[in-house]
Each structure stands twice: as structure tokens, then as C-alpha cells.
């Protein structure tokens, strides 16, 4: 998901315990976690989907695979599958991103994001959509105190999505 990073899920392969014959591959989306690229920015979900497809080819070759994804990763998985960048045998999605809740009316937000994305403002952060890392009580993103503490100790900065990323998300939806 946006503002996520792979180290946050180090426990997952052991917890799921798919067995010794399973290959586990993971990545930070460009602009997130330890990945390269401008923070919380992408011009098109094609870029995200092609990144995942490259990882799949490298890790699995022509073998069948499944994708486990959370939030924005879920939208990338669905988008990449519908565009035929990805052809997973199965998908397991946790809270897939299926819409945006902008702080202004949606039709205005979409227009502003579109106009800004085709200008030099596209790379700039919107200032909205922060990940609410600071308060545990009633946090809509987690009910796990241990997980919340992991987020607080993150070496990665939190970033609002860029206008370009918001525009790309509207197009992907």
C-alpha cells in the first residue's frame, strides 16, 4: 500500500507458512519504502504494473504464481491483471484501494489532479492523504499496537501523494 514498506511485513512468509517449495518475492513500489523514485509519485499505474511484472518474470519465470497485496498494491494487482501485465493464478487482496476520499468534492479533485499532473506541479505533494502515523487511539489504519510501533520506528518518511499520483489513481480506478 501507499506509505508502506516491505520490512513491515517480514513476519508474513513465516506466518502464512506455505511450505518449503514456495518462492516468496516482495517489492516496495517505486517511490515507497527503500525503492528509488520520487516519494509517493507515479505518472501511470502502467509503471507500477510493469515493475511488478518484471519482478514476477525474474522470480518465477513461467511458473504459476499468486499475488498477495494490500491497499494500493491491490489496485496495482487488479489494474495490472486487467491490462494483462500480470497473469496470477490467484490474488489475495487486503483492503484494496477502490476509491479516493479527497478533502474537496471528487469531481473538483479529479480535475485539479489532472491539470496539475500535466504541468510542472505533477510531482508536487498534494498535502492531503497523510498516513496518520502519530496517534494510535482510533487509528483507522491499524488496530495492532505492535504494528503501530513498527510504523513509528520507520526509517522512511511519510509523504502525501503527488498530484500526478492522485491523477494516475483516478485513471486506474
Amino acid at each position: 500500500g501507499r506509505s508502506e514498506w516491505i520490512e513491515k511485513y517480514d513476519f508474513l512468509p513465516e506466518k502464512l507458512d506455505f511450505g518449503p517449495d514456495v518462492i516468496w518475492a516482495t517489492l516496495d513500489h517505486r517511490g515507497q519504502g527503500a525503492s528509488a523514485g520520487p516519494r509517493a509519485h507515479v505518472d501511470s499505474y502502467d509503471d507500477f504494473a510493469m515493475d511488478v511484472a518484471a519482478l514476477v518474470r525474474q522470480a518465477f519465470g513461467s511458473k504459476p504464481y499468486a499475488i498477495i497485496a494490500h491497499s494500493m498494491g491491490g489496485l496495482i494487482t487488479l489494474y495490472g491483471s486487467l491490462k494483462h501485465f500480470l497473469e496470477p493464478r490467484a490474488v489475495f487482496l487486503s483492503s484494496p484501494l477502490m476509491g479516493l476520499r479527497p478533502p474537496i468534492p471528487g469531481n473538483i479533485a479529479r480535475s485539479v489532479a489532472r491539470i496539475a499532473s500535466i504541468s510542472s506541479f505533477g510531482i508536487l505533494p498534494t498535502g492531503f492523504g497523510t498516513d496518520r502515523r502519530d496517534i494510535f487511539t482510533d487509528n483507522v489504519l491499524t488496530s495492532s499496537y505492535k504494528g503501530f510501533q513498527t510504523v513509528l520506528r520507520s526509517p522512511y518518511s511519510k509523504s502525501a501523494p503527488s498530484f500526478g499520483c492522485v491523477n494516475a489513481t483516478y485513471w486506474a480506478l
Side-chain angles (χ1 to χ4, degrees):
R2 190 184 71 74
S3 294
E4 298 274 356
W5 61 95
I6 59 176
E7 296 89 352
K8 184 177 172 187
Y9 297 97
D10 281 347
F11 69 92
L12 204 52
E14 184 177 325
K15 182 91 169 171
L16 294 176
D17 190 21
F18 287 129
D21 296 333
V22 171
I23 298 169
W24 185 272
T26 186
L27 80 153
D28 282 326
H29 304 301
R30 60 173 72 197
Q32 294 183 202
S35 69
R39 299 291 91 185
H41 175 76
V42 71
D43 291 319
S44 169
Y45 272 62
D46 286 7
D47 296 334
F48 283 144
M50 287 188 288
D51 292 346
V52 175
L55 173 74
V56 165
R57 279 191 306 277
Q58 182 178 357
F60 306 107
S62 61
K63 296 177 187 168
Y65 62 95
I67 296 177
I68 300 172
H70 172 68
S71 189
M72 190 170 117
L75 178 56
I76 294 167
T77 299
L78 293 170
Y79 180 88
S81 297
L82 290 171
K83 293 283 220 154
H84 304 288
F85 291 113
L86 304 169
E87 295 181 352
R89 179 175 280 181
V91 297
F92 304 89
L93 305 179
S94 165
S95 300
L97 172 61
M98 298 304 292
L100 296 176
R101 285 186 248 156
I104 58 177
N107 57 341
I108 295 172
R110 188 179 190 126
S111 295
V112 168
R114 177 71 182 137
I115 291 165
S117 72
I118 58 175
S119 74
S120 59
F121 295 110
I123 193 87
L124 297 177
T126 61
F128 299 107
T130 58
D131 59 9
R132 301 182 192 164
R133 293 183 186 206
D134 302 330
I135 301 169
F136 177 70
T137 306
D138 298 323
N139 190 304
V140 298
L141 299 177
T142 186
S143 59
S144 165
Y145 187 73
K146 182 179 177 185
F148 181 74
Q149 292 300 313
T150 300
V151 170
L152 288 179
R153 291 187 304 273
S154 167
Y156 308 114
S157 63
K158 57 184 176 180
S159 303
S162 70
F163 286 101
C165 187
V166 171
N167 181 61
T169 301
Y170 276 122
W171 280 97
L173 291 169

